[in-house]
Amino acid sequence: MGLPEFARTTTFRSAAVAAGAFAIFVLVLFGFIYWNTDRYLIARSDHVIASQLREMSAMPPERQADIIAYHLSEDPRGVQFAGLFRPDGTRMAGNLDGPPPDLSLDGSVQSARVKRTSANGSVETRVVRAIGQYLPGGDVLVLGRDVDEAVEISRFVGQALALGLIPALVLCLAVGALLSMRAERRIADVNQRVQRIVGGDLRERLPKLTGDEPFAKLAGIVNGMLDEIENLVHAIAGIGTDIAHDLRTPLTRVRLMLERGRTNAQTLEQFRLVADKAVAGIDQSLAMTTALLRLVEIENSRRSAAFGKVALADLVHEVGELYEPIAEGKNIALHLDLTHAAVVDGDRDLLMEAVVNLVDNAIKFTPTGGRVEISLFRGNAESIVRVKDTGAGINEFERDAVLKRFYRSERLRSAPGFGLGLNLVAAIVKLHGFRLTIHPGAGCVVEIASPDPIADSKAGDRG
């Protein structure tokens, strides 16, 4: 029979290893306690009989027998041994049959084998802790104490400690099993949800848990990732639909022009005119495809390695010089207001592209005789590039919509472009970690705000 499922998990094995380490530690601890307890009790017994020997040997010879008799009478458990012997080994007092042959009579406590005759006449031989020495008259005094009692106490302490180990091990294994089964249930739940996500249910999420446990944090991170994946999948699906819709018109127009040209064109000049119109339509489709690839490249952050110090004032001034002739051609006043010399971290080409798109849109949608302002100023610990025009503006309901791909306002459907300009700007701003704001109302006002490096450094110093 195989092990239960939970017993094969890493959690349970870790708990088992921890329980084993705990058991080894406890056994070593118990052994240390047992050894020290045994040593302490034996040392205490040795100290007692050594003190008794000194006291009895200091007594007058005529009182020693009485003292030994009194000493033994106060021992109801029969753990005391004593004997007073003449130089020839004849017993004068006590319960020992004779001096132990293996006991050195030098006043040191030793383990010795002694014989004692009980009241019913039986001879008892035991190993005890004993001490003996010669008295001034040549007599021999021997005292002993049975240490089996100390051994029993030590054994009892050891057994009590050992018995405490078993519940501790069982508790560790039980906790490991519970944690393992709990993790297994969570993993099974996660697996079911992941299978539903793989099956196409992108709205499915991992279970949300409260608290600061690692699994709850992991679930939050994964759910955030799934939210982003769902948004990307929907965006990709929308892109496919939008591309099919927006490319169909120019391609259909090209096809019709070619068909008509093949049918109606009679001269070389007419064929060239049809070909030129077809090439223009194909160029429009290629431009749209190029813009989409550019947008995907930026959104995938492939350009982040080209970041460096960018002087915004120089960049904005360059854009102003680039579009000044275009603005004059439409009789639009282009005004620059560079009151702040800001330096930010970023890709200069991408930031140039973002500002160019904003200025291009402003000039494109500003009527003749209007005004476009490009300003760079500092506000609320940020460096802000603002492009303001006197065109129709963007209403409150379209502020988010204009940032989507291929979005074209109904009243601007006839204007040139693909509806990717502001989406491209938003992607560049997101890549740099800046802030893009579109203010609704008459006249369009768009701002790109970057954190002030000075404010960032001061915040870092405070941290």
Side-chain angles (χ1 to χ4, degrees):
M1 185 188 305
L3 292 173
E5 186 68 25
F6 72 85
R8 295 195 291 268
T9 62
T10 303
T11 303
F12 183 79
R13 291 177 181 177
S14 299
V17 170
F22 175 73
I24 294 174
F25 170 75
V26 171
L27 288 175
V28 172
L29 177 63
F30 288 176
F32 177 76
I33 294 175
Y34 179 85
W35 180 66
N36 275 276
T37 302
D38 186 66
R39 283 188 58 194
Y40 170 75
L41 293 176
I42 292 176
R44 185 166 176 249
S45 177
D46 291 350
H47 176 73
V48 169
I49 60 177
S51 299
Q52 291 173 347
L53 179 70
R54 287 194 298 271
E55 292 176 0
M56 290 183 184
S57 61
M59 294 289 181
E62 62 273 11
R63 294 192 55 193
Q64 289 175 348
D66 295 336
I67 292 297
I68 290 175
Y70 177 76
H71 174 67
L72 295 176
S73 67
E74 295 295 321
D75 179 32
R77 294 177 297 173
V79 298
Q80 302 287 349
F81 296 82
L84 181 61
F85 306 96
R86 291 191 175 92
D88 60 0
T90 304
R91 184 175 67 182
M92 300 170 59
N95 57 0
L96 292 177
D97 293 344
D102 56 348
L103 179 64
S104 299
L105 302 177
D106 56 0
S108 62
V109 182
Q110 308 159 42
S111 292
R113 185 179 298 275
V114 298
K115 292 183 179 181
R116 177 175 63 180
T117 302
S118 61
N120 58 10
S122 61
V123 178
E124 180 184 15
T125 302
R126 302 183 68 173
V127 176
V128 300
R129 297 292 291 176
I131 184 173
Q133 72 176 26
Y134 287 102
L135 299 179
D139 296 337
V140 177
L141 177 61
V142 177
L143 297 178
R145 185 180 180 87
D146 190 350
V147 293
D148 284 347
E149 182 184 34
V151 174
E152 287 297 326
I153 293 174
S154 298
R155 187 178 296 113
F156 175 77
V157 172
Q159 289 176 350
L161 294 175
L163 289 176
L165 176 63
I166 297 176
L169 289 176
V170 172
L171 179 61
C172 286
L173 294 177
V175 170
L178 289 175
L179 292 176
S180 178
M181 289 187 290
R182 181 186 179 192
E184 283 292 312
R185 287 195 299 269
R186 287 183 175 179
I187 292 173
D189 186 20
V190 169
N191 185 54
Q192 292 176 358
R193 293 171 183 260
V194 169
Q195 291 301 324
R196 288 196 288 268
I197 294 171
V198 172
D201 185 4
L202 297 180
R203 293 173 298 178
E204 185 63 78
R205 295 293 181 269
L206 299 188
K208 294 182 179 180
L209 302 174
T210 58
D212 294 331
E213 61 176 1
F215 193 86
K217 295 180 179 178
L218 178 62
I221 294 173
V222 173
N223 285 338
M225 180 183 66
L226 291 174
D227 290 338
E228 188 68 21
I229 291 175
E230 182 182 9
N231 292 333
L232 291 175
V233 169
H234 289 317
I236 291 172
I239 290 172
T241 303
D242 292 337
I243 290 176
H245 180 271
D246 283 75
L247 287 181
R248 182 175 59 184
T249 300
L251 291 178
T252 302
R253 189 182 302 116
V254 170
R255 186 178 185 278
L256 289 174
M257 283 188 296
L258 291 175
E259 284 184 351
R260 291 174 182 174
R262 184 182 65 178
T263 303
N264 301 326
Q266 301 295 329
T267 64
L268 181 59
E269 188 65 28
Q270 289 176 340
F271 274 113
R272 286 179 177 175
L273 181 61
V274 171
D276 289 341
K277 292 181 178 179
V279 169
I282 293 174
D283 286 342
Q284 183 183 7
S285 301
L286 290 175
M288 181 182 297
T289 304
T290 302
L292 285 172
L293 292 176
R294 174 70 165 161
L295 189 58
V296 171
E297 178 187 5
I298 294 172
E299 288 181 340
N300 288 338
S301 303
R302 295 177 183 173
R303 296 292 300 270
S304 59
F307 277 23
K309 298 298 181 182
V310 179
L312 289 182
D314 295 341
L315 186 149
V316 173
H317 188 269
E318 186 175 340
V319 174
E321 289 183 341
L322 178 66
Y323 275 88
E324 186 175 5
I326 300 174
E328 289 180 357
K330 289 190 63 176
N331 194 23
I332 294 174
L334 183 62
H335 179 70
L336 293 181
D337 182 11
L338 308 179
T339 61
H340 178 50
V343 177
V344 298
D345 288 325
D347 186 318
R348 192 179 193 280
D349 293 339
L350 291 180
L351 292 176
M352 170 76 79
E353 190 169 352
V355 178
V356 162
N357 270 278
L358 294 181
V359 176
D360 185 76
N361 278 346
I363 294 177
K364 183 190 303 182
F365 298 116
T366 298
T368 301
R371 178 184 176 88
V372 174
E373 296 179 3
I374 310 174
S375 55
L376 173 61
F377 59 95
R378 186 168 182 266
N380 195 22
E382 292 179 322
S383 298
I384 301 175
V385 176
R386 173 185 292 170
V387 178
K388 181 180 179 181
D389 62 57
T390 57
I394 299 174
N395 61 47
E396 180 72 27
F397 305 102
E398 289 186 312
R399 282 203 308 174
D400 294 330
V402 295
L403 298 179
K404 297 180 180 178
R405 293 177 182 174
F406 301 110
Y407 178 81
R408 305 292 299 278
S409 177
E410 291 298 331
R411 53 194 171 90
L412 298 175
R413 280 285 177 181
S414 60
F418 311 120
L420 292 174
L422 287 178
N423 187 254
L424 184 64
V425 173
I428 294 173
V429 169
K430 181 179 179 181
L431 173 64
H432 286 77
F434 297 168
R435 178 174 57 84
L436 178 65
T437 305
I438 300 176
H439 297 279
C444 183
V445 179
V446 183
E447 294 179 349
I448 298 177
S450 60
D452 194 332
I454 299 177
D456 287 348
S457 62
K458 289 181 178 179
D461 294 339
R462 289 194 296 269

